[in-house]
Amino acid sequence: MQVNVLGIDHNCAAAVREKAAFTETHILEFSSIIMGLGAAEVVILSTCNRSEVYYLLPQEDRSVNRHIREAYLSYFSQAPRELAQSVHQLSGQAALRHIFRVAAGLESAIVGEDEILRQLKRAYEFAHRFHNTDKIFNHLFQEAIKCAKEVKSSLKISEIPLSPGYIGLKYLEECCGGAAGLAGKNLLIIGFGEIGQLFFRYARELPLAGIWLCSRSSEAPLAACAGEPRARYLPSGQARAALPEADLVICATNSPHLILRREDMPPREKPLYLLDMAIPRDVDEAIGELNNYQVANIDVLKELAQRNAASRRSLTVQAETVIDRYLAAFADWLARSEQDLVIKSLNQTVDEIAEEHLKYLFQKIEASERERKIISRTMQTALRKAVLNPIISLKSMDDPAKREHYSQVLEELFKGVG
């Protein structure tokens, strides 16, 4: 048995990825194609950052792997020429480790992210529903999912943010004493370009009372507000007027000069946390000298991002230790499961011997239907007991090499018997 991986990931250009994406119809079609080429089991994962085919060959076969790679490239013949240069293909232990790393988020653009596990689980369930998986892949993907859950629950890699929007809101959340401290608070986002929109997407997941979008252009913020009942649009001239009711402010404009100056800030009885994401700056640093005003800029987030990236790298090393344990257990299970074929062959041989002898016996004696059933059951049980001890011994052997050797011996000894 050989597990294989073929496909592209986030390291490949978006223009290539979008041309090599699978729809559900494509998944069923391509699974059928490569099973026709010799794959025994197939799972296909297609996301915005990844287009990968996981397939099982009954035995190592470079020729079949080459044909499957050619089929993949041919299937996406409309993709840019870079696809052929970007495709990775892994086999054996490297493929197994890759699948476990993908499930745990260690192969993602943002290391440790959670969404990929849900996507891989859906991909496996889809393949299983259409009978494209069997014993080996069922066990493999269930173990990969179980391993990923252990990595995420014990190490919590995904809780260490890396993207600016997520880090920024985590910073403001900590200023308020945690997620619960955000309840009932109002967030004002000044500027609704790429950064402002990123913050808005994350902010929608928080228990804020209101999210106000202040921008010179109304089209994008009004469209955003239409899908979020807590959000409302404010024209750019109303930013200062909204400050008394705001608890959190994010500035991310393209203005060449300060938007919020010290002299324009009214006295406050409750804290106001301002995060300046703009270069040049939007917020006068001197505002932080006033009572109940706290100012931070993008440099704070860079520092946090560097620390977070280092923490993630450290946790990734620990995650590999968990994966190693699961891979060792899977390798042992796979080795033992291969002996099941030998055991199945032995039992089939026993049943064939019983059938032949019973056929001869019933030609020589007269027996009722009930008597024939009793005799048949007794003989089959007796013959199966004759090979039961070797089977038990084979399955209980811990040494893989020894187990493989005795499997071959049993196959040789029973070859042609019956």
Side-chain angles (χ1 to χ4, degrees):
M1 297 288 182
Q2 185 189 62
V3 177
N4 303 272
V5 176
L6 171 73
I8 56 175
D9 59 19
H10 59 88
N11 293 305
C12 183
V16 179
R17 294 200 310 271
E18 67 184 7
K19 295 295 184 180
F22 288 94
T23 64
E24 288 190 347
T25 301
H26 292 154
I27 288 173
L28 293 175
E29 186 176 51
F30 192 71
S31 296
S32 178
I33 288 171
I34 67 171
M35 290 179 92
L37 291 172
E41 303 181 43
V42 182
V43 171
I44 296 179
L45 174 64
S46 187
T47 72
C48 59
N49 281 326
R50 191 174 297 277
S51 171
E52 288 187 328
V53 182
Y54 311 118
Y55 61 98
L56 179 73
L57 296 182
Q59 59 189 12
E60 182 179 348
D61 194 323
R62 292 184 180 180
S63 175
V64 173
N65 274 326
R66 186 174 64 255
H67 290 322
I68 288 176
R69 184 179 190 276
E70 290 168 355
Y72 180 87
L73 295 175
S74 175
Y75 195 77
F76 295 115
S77 58
Q78 301 303 311
R81 285 179 297 177
E82 292 85 354
L83 177 62
Q85 301 165 352
S86 304
V87 169
H88 53 254
Q89 192 164 21
L90 305 169
S91 297
Q93 193 65 20
L96 287 169
R97 180 172 291 278
H98 180 83
I99 291 170
F100 277 81
R101 283 177 57 84
V102 167
L106 304 186
E107 291 286 341
S108 298
I110 297 177
V111 176
E113 57 102 354
D114 290 328
E115 183 59 25
I116 189 64
L117 178 57
R118 289 187 284 271
Q119 292 166 333
L120 184 73
K121 186 178 179 183
R122 285 198 297 269
Y124 160 66
E125 290 172 346
F126 184 80
H128 183 62
R129 188 189 321 153
F130 288 94
H131 309 288
N132 289 336
T133 67
D134 205 336
K135 179 180 178 180
I136 304 298
F137 266 21
N138 288 341
H139 190 72
L140 169 60
F141 281 89
Q142 287 164 12
E143 287 299 291
I145 290 166
K146 182 180 174 183
C147 175
K149 288 179 177 178
E150 181 176 333
V151 167
K152 291 176 185 300
S153 64
S154 62
L155 302 181
K156 297 181 170 52
I157 298 176
S158 62
E159 293 185 11
I160 302 175
L162 286 179
S163 71
Y166 196 49
I167 292 175
L169 285 171
K170 278 289 182 183
Y171 170 78
L172 293 175
E173 181 182 296
E174 289 174 9
C175 289
C176 296
L182 294 176
K185 287 188 166 47
N186 296 315
L187 169 66
L188 170 62
I189 300 176
I190 303 176
F192 204 64
E194 184 178 343
I195 301 270
Q197 291 177 36
L198 180 64
F199 271 92
F200 177 69
R201 284 200 297 274
Y202 285 123
R204 294 180 67 176
E205 305 299 320
L206 300 175
L208 296 162
I211 307 172
W212 306 331
L213 310 178
C214 186
S215 173
R216 285 183 299 174
S217 172
S218 63
E219 184 177 355
L222 283 174
C225 291
E228 173 53 67
R230 295 172 299 167
R232 65 186 176 97
Y233 167 67
L234 300 174
S236 58
Q238 296 183 20
R240 292 188 187 89
L243 287 176
E245 298 301 317
D247 302 286
L248 310 164
V249 177
I250 294 167
C251 286
T253 78
N254 292 321
S255 174
H257 52 76
L258 295 174
I259 298 295
L260 301 177
R261 299 178 182 274
R262 186 185 194 279
E263 56 268 27
D264 297 327
M265 297 298 103
R268 289 187 65 89
E269 294 183 0
K270 61 179 183 177
L272 178 65
Y273 302 100
L274 301 102
L275 178 58
D276 189 355
M277 296 295 297
I279 298 291
R281 298 179 190 179
D282 283 339
V283 181
D284 185 350
E285 278 195 351
I287 292 175
E289 299 169 1
L290 301 173
N291 288 335
N292 287 319
Y293 284 90
Q294 183 171 318
V295 178
N297 60 42
I298 196 169
D299 288 341
V300 173
L301 301 194
K302 285 181 181 178
E303 191 178 311
L304 285 171
Q306 289 171 353
R307 288 208 306 265
N308 288 353
S311 296
R312 283 201 179 208
R313 285 193 294 270
S314 173
L315 290 176
T316 297
V317 173
Q318 296 178 51
E320 291 285 5
T321 302
V322 178
I323 290 174
D324 285 341
R325 174 160 45 85
Y326 274 85
L327 284 174
F330 180 78
D332 182 67
W333 175 88
L334 185 60
R336 292 178 188 277
S337 70
E338 288 176 350
Q339 265 64 67
D340 290 345
L341 296 175
V342 177
I343 293 168
K344 183 178 179 182
S345 177
L346 290 180
N347 284 328
Q348 284 177 343
T349 300
V350 164
D351 292 343
E352 288 168 4
I353 292 171
E355 186 178 347
E356 284 296 319
H357 283 73
L358 287 168
K359 183 178 178 182
Y360 175 79
L361 179 64
F362 292 146
Q363 288 174 347
K364 297 294 182 180
I365 66 171
E366 290 185 7
S368 66
E369 185 65 28
R370 179 174 177 277
E371 290 169 335
R372 287 181 178 228
K373 286 182 179 179
I374 293 171
I375 294 169
S376 297
R377 193 178 303 118
T378 302
M379 180 175 286
Q380 187 179 51
T381 301
L383 286 172
R384 283 207 172 192
K385 279 185 177 180
V387 296
L388 180 61
N389 284 340
I391 287 174
I392 292 172
S393 297
L394 182 64
K395 290 183 76 74
S396 62
M397 287 179 185
D398 292 325
D399 185 340
K402 188 176 179 181
R403 197 165 55 236
E404 177 64 24
H405 171 69
Y406 277 99
S407 294
Q408 293 174 358
V409 169
L410 283 171
E411 283 188 287
E412 282 295 320
L413 289 174
F414 278 82
K415 189 179 293 181
V417 175

